[in-house]
Amino acid sequence: GAGVSQTPSNKVTEKGKYVELRCDPISGHTALYWYRQSLGQGPEFLIYFQGTGAADDSGLPNDRFFAVRPEGSVSTLKIQRTERGDSAVYLCASSLAPGQHTEAFFGQGTRLTVV
Amino acid sequence: AQRVTQPEKLLSVFKGAPVELKCNYSYSGSPELFWYVQYSRQRLQLLLRHISRESIKGFTADLNKGETSFHLKKPFAQEEDSAMYYCALKAATNKLIFGTGTLLAVQP
């Protein structure tokens, strides 16, 4: 693939519903990150995977948010009981194993709107 | 606390004018800093990083540890430089901490 791919590009859901956002990283990239970008803000870190395991999930705002990467490639961000405040662009990034010269490549994002 | 501050939401300049996008950081360790750019309808992409000490598209940024700054500069702005610019700090576990961004508008 040409780059990090995120699906869907747009998602509208009703308050209280469950949503899943998918990220396909660049092939061979072992590190994967999720960020959330609210209107007028910079991207805010949510979770970082190294391989299959979550190396840092300190950015997840509460237990309604969960992410998995079962085979060390594709990742899914899951949000339960969505709230209007969850509306944002959710960004995924991937990189080679972290190092001093490692560059993170971003996807185009999924715009989530909770109505 | 780990923080990145970009004080300007919008910077408007005329083509050919010098540009300086300000970035200040707060970090207790040895910082690794980046500038990311997002052109209209495109994804976020890396512009430059301080460890490379490179010039990309005419932009440079110098890390000033005394002033805890990493300002982005270009001597002569071009219309195609119009974009959203984010300063970012790499923290422990390799996560990036972003500023709120500065929209650069280069007028013809």
Side-chain angles (χ1 to χ4, degrees), chain A residues 18-65:
Chain A
Y18 168 81
V19 296
E20 289 189 352
L21 311 179
R22 177 186 168 107
C23 173
D24 277 271
I26 293 172
S27 178
H29 280 190
T30 58
L32 185 146
Y33 308 80
W34 283 99
Y35 292 84
R36 177 170 72 172
Q37 186 170 20
S38 301
L39 196 62
Q41 302 296 315
E44 179 187 22
F45 170 78
L46 295 176
I47 186 169
Y48 156 51
F49 287 92
Q50 181 56 44
T52 60
D56 182 354
D57 65 358
S58 61
L60 295 178
N62 52 59
D63 61 7
R64 295 187 297 105
F65 288 74

Side-chain angles (χ1 to χ4, degrees), chain B residues 8 46 100 102:
Chain B
E8 302 141 327
L46 179 66
T100 51
T102 298

Side-chain angles (χ1 to χ4, degrees), chain A residues 4 35 37 56 98 100 106, chain B residues 43 49 51 86 93-94 96:
Chain A
V4 178
Y35 292 84
Q37 186 170 20
D56 182 354
Q100 196 173 38
F106 282 81
Chain B
R43 61 188 64 192
R49 68 189 88 191
I51 57 173
Y86 294 95
T93 70
N94 300 293
L96 292 170

